[in-house]
Amino acid sequence: RTPTPLSSGINAEYGGQPLVTMFTVALCVLSLVASCHGYRLMEEEDGVVDYTGYKTIRVDLSGSAGAAAVVREWVDEERVDVLNEGIGDEADLLVGPNEWESVTGELENLAASYEILSEDVVGDVETERAQLLSAVPGVFDFNNYYAVKYMHSHLDALVSRHPGKAETFSLGQTYQGRDMKAIRISNNVASSGSKPIIWVDGGIHAREWVSSATVMYIVNSLLGEVEPSLQSKFQGLMNKYQFVILPMSNPDGYEFSRTGNRFWRKTRRPSGCKYGYETSNGRCIYGKCYGVDPNRNWDIDFGRQGVSKNPCSDVYPGKSAFTEKNTQAMSSWLAKHASQIDLYLSFHSYSQLFLKPVGYDRNPPVDAAMHNAAGSAVVNAIYGTHGKVYKNIRSVELYPTSGSSQDWMYSKGVKNAYTIELRDTGRHGFQLPASQIIPTGEENVRGFLALLETL
């Protein structure tokens, strides 16, 4: 529950004892109780998170009145984490061992059915970590997930191999000083500045590793490093367009998801104190919070739907729009070039969806028919590759959200602004095995081509 604020100053006395001393003792007791109950009260930055005993479940919320509200309360209290994008007719939850009995018991009392997606989350994490450790340092391929520095060096290597078709540039620096490296691809790239722009990005949410891998696969496809059978189509498109691609748009969060908390979603800048409670000297009472959801931080219907006011929440949008250096850098470049952009496409995971604007209004936009046709072309092309079914829906049909990059771009006049949620549908979720990177890339590069043909 949200803590009750102190009724008097922290430097007051009670019964002859300094209140600050009594408060410190009380906070220590509270920390013990909280840790037993599943809460995390941490004054300093999180270290490696141990998921021993954790399970993931999918809860059907469609047949239980009030179940969605209860799940939202659990999320605000940090008793569970929501893994899929929002709380709609169903929610995928990460549940710790200290909460398992109470959460499942309450679901049963609410007549909300659930299924277990993973019995052993820590086993999944350890298997994935072993895969990461098998990578050869300095090598980049599509058989593993790689650190940001190896993605960036691979982009530079592509430019060296294709100097007339590719160049890299930086959009800016993140909070922790990492580069936001983009690649521009076109035939005669040096003189392609006036061509219409196709923008593609991935990795805005840290834990969605396959999104950046898929964007890297598209980069390599455009340059003929993979997918040789598609080169005739890409050559014609590269005469017409310049492709500006940002494979990793949240590098700080991504690196933390590799080394600290596998399910980290946000940026890494300190964002405040839990529930806003802090002492007069600025120390956090109930825990320090880190990061902002970078796909709730855009200046469109900001802070209204699909967000939380708790700075520790995965969907905390920030105190205002564009508080994060990565969203500042992206929005600055995109706003400057908006009149040239013919397509904005952002890759996420998971759920296998083609999401159309907008996420904050149930009334269809004026371009709905065009969006429907584009979505149909994409999901049909994807299905025709490996038989995977992606749904073609509006973002708001999944769950209402404010502050997304897709909707901000649509508001800037980019009529074709879309999001693709990649594999899978929940069994592996964010921990999609590396063996699925290539087939995910194959089906989505064909979906990408089909989308370009609708423009």
Side-chain angles (χ1 to χ4, degrees):
R1 301 293 187 271
T2 303
T4 303
L6 295 170
S7 58
S8 58
I10 196 166
N11 295 315
E13 292 188 356
Y14 180 78
Q17 295 294 324
L19 185 56
V20 67
T21 302
M22 297 183 68
F23 174 77
T24 302
V25 173
L27 183 57
C28 292
V29 174
L30 176 61
S31 297
L32 289 172
V33 173
S35 64
C36 292
H37 195 58
Y39 297 92
R40 289 181 296 165
L41 302 181
M42 302 192 70
E43 181 63 22
E44 301 302 329
E45 186 166 354
D46 289 356
V48 177
V49 177
D50 181 7
Y51 283 104
T52 299
Y54 278 73
K55 301 179 183 181
T56 56
I57 61 174
R58 173 164 294 162
V59 183
D60 182 0
L61 302 174
S62 61
S64 173
V70 171
V71 171
R72 289 188 184 95
E73 184 178 346
W74 292 343
V75 173
D76 283 341
E77 294 172 345
E78 298 177 65
R79 293 177 61 189
V80 300
D81 287 335
V82 175
L83 298 182
N84 56 343
E85 281 291 306
I87 301 171
D89 289 338
E90 61 184 25
D92 294 355
L93 305 181
L94 177 67
V95 187
N98 296 329
E99 293 291 345
W100 178 256
E101 288 189 9
S102 62
V103 164
T104 54
E106 289 181 60
L107 289 174
E108 289 164 7
N109 291 337
L110 290 164
S113 62
Y114 66 90
E115 62 175 312
I116 296 176
L117 298 175
S118 174
E119 287 269 12
D120 183 21
V121 170
V122 72
D124 295 340
V125 170
E126 289 172 354
T127 298
E128 186 178 56
R129 187 162 292 154
Q131 173 72 24
L132 294 182
L133 292 173
S134 71
V136 178
V139 172
F140 182 90
D141 57 29
F142 295 104
N143 299 314
N144 214 330
Y145 297 103
Y146 290 92
V148 173
K149 63 181 179 180
Y150 295 128
M151 292 188 207
H152 286 177
S153 12
H154 182 66
L155 294 179
D156 291 336
L158 290 175
V159 171
S160 296
R161 293 200 289 270
H162 306 276
K165 294 183 177 180
E167 61 186 18
T168 56
F169 66 97
S170 176
L171 292 175
Q173 303 287 312
T174 65
Y175 170 75
Q176 293 181 337
R178 292 186 175 88
D179 201 22
M180 294 187 65
K181 181 170 285 191
I183 187 167
R184 192 162 72 104
I185 300 172
S186 187
N187 286 334
N188 301 311
V189 66
S191 58
S192 294
S194 61
K195 292 180 183 178
I197 295 168
I198 304 297
W199 170 281
V200 182
D201 66 55
I204 199 166
H205 287 144
R207 59 195 180 187
E208 300 171 9
W209 293 2
V210 75
S211 67
S212 290
T214 299
V215 173
M216 290 293 284
Y217 192 88
I218 289 173
V219 168
N220 280 262
S221 298
L222 282 163
L223 292 171
E225 299 275 326
V226 295
E227 301 288 358
S229 66
L230 301 179
Q231 286 315 294
S232 61
K233 291 184 178 180
F234 278 130
Q235 287 305 310
L237 291 165
M238 288 167 60
N239 287 330
K240 182 178 181 181
Y241 297 111
Q242 53 174 317
F243 293 81
V244 179
I245 302 177
L246 179 66
M248 176 49 67
S249 50
N250 180 11
D252 292 351
Y254 175 77
E255 286 300 323
F256 185 62
S257 75
R258 288 172 54 85
T259 59
N261 182 348
R262 177 61 185 89
F263 294 99
W264 189 257
R265 170 182 170 98
K266 302 187 290 180
T267 60
R268 289 300 297 160
R269 183 180 63 84
S271 53
C273 296
K274 187 178 292 187
Y275 306 118
Y277 286 78
E278 61 182 69
T279 66
S280 58
N281 63 357
R283 286 179 62 85
C284 294
I285 296 174
Y286 294 103
K288 183 180 287 185
C289 305
Y290 290 84
V292 161
D293 183 341
N295 206 38
R296 301 290 185 276
N297 191 234
W298 298 67
D299 191 14
I300 181 69
D301 197 54
F302 177 81
R304 290 188 60 248
Q305 302 178 77
V307 297
S308 171
K309 294 181 180 179
N310 177 7
C312 286
S313 167
D314 275 346
V315 289
Y316 177 61
K319 292 182 179 180
S320 59
F322 301 132
T323 54
E324 306 309 287
K325 286 194 171 183
N326 56 335
T327 58
Q328 292 169 10
M330 290 175 69
S331 62
S332 176
W333 196 95
L334 290 164
K336 181 179 178 181
H337 298 89
S339 62
Q340 272 185 274
I341 298 174
D342 277 7
L343 171 66
Y344 173 87
L345 182 61
S346 186
F347 282 94
H348 292 238
S349 74
Y350 59 94
S351 287
Q352 295 178 197
L353 302 169
F354 182 87
L355 297 177
K356 302 165 292 192
V358 293
Y360 58 88
D361 187 350
R362 293 194 180 275
N363 296 312
V366 294
D367 301 302
M370 179 180 70
H371 296 160
N372 290 338
S376 294
V378 171
V379 300
N380 289 338
I382 288 174
Y383 180 76
T385 308
H386 294 299
K388 292 295 181 182
V389 175
Y390 284 52
K391 294 180 181 178
N392 173 24
I393 64 173
R394 289 182 59 215
S395 296
V396 75
E397 295 176 65
L398 182 63
Y399 59 95
T401 55
S402 301
S404 74
S405 62
Q406 167 194 279
D407 288 349
W408 184 81
M409 286 304 301
Y410 186 65
S411 75
K412 295 298 179 184
V414 179
K415 294 183 178 181
N416 288 284
Y418 307 109
T419 298
I420 293 180
E421 297 278 357
L422 299 165
R423 294 188 186 190
D424 59 5
T425 57
R427 164 56 190 93
H428 298 289
F430 304 121
Q431 298 170 282
L432 192 72
S435 60
Q436 294 195 42
I437 293 173
I438 290 176
T440 302
E442 289 171 341
E443 66 200 16
N444 278 279
V445 79
R446 285 160 178 80
F448 181 53
L449 276 171
L451 180 57
L452 292 172
E453 289 169 1
T454 70
L455 300 180

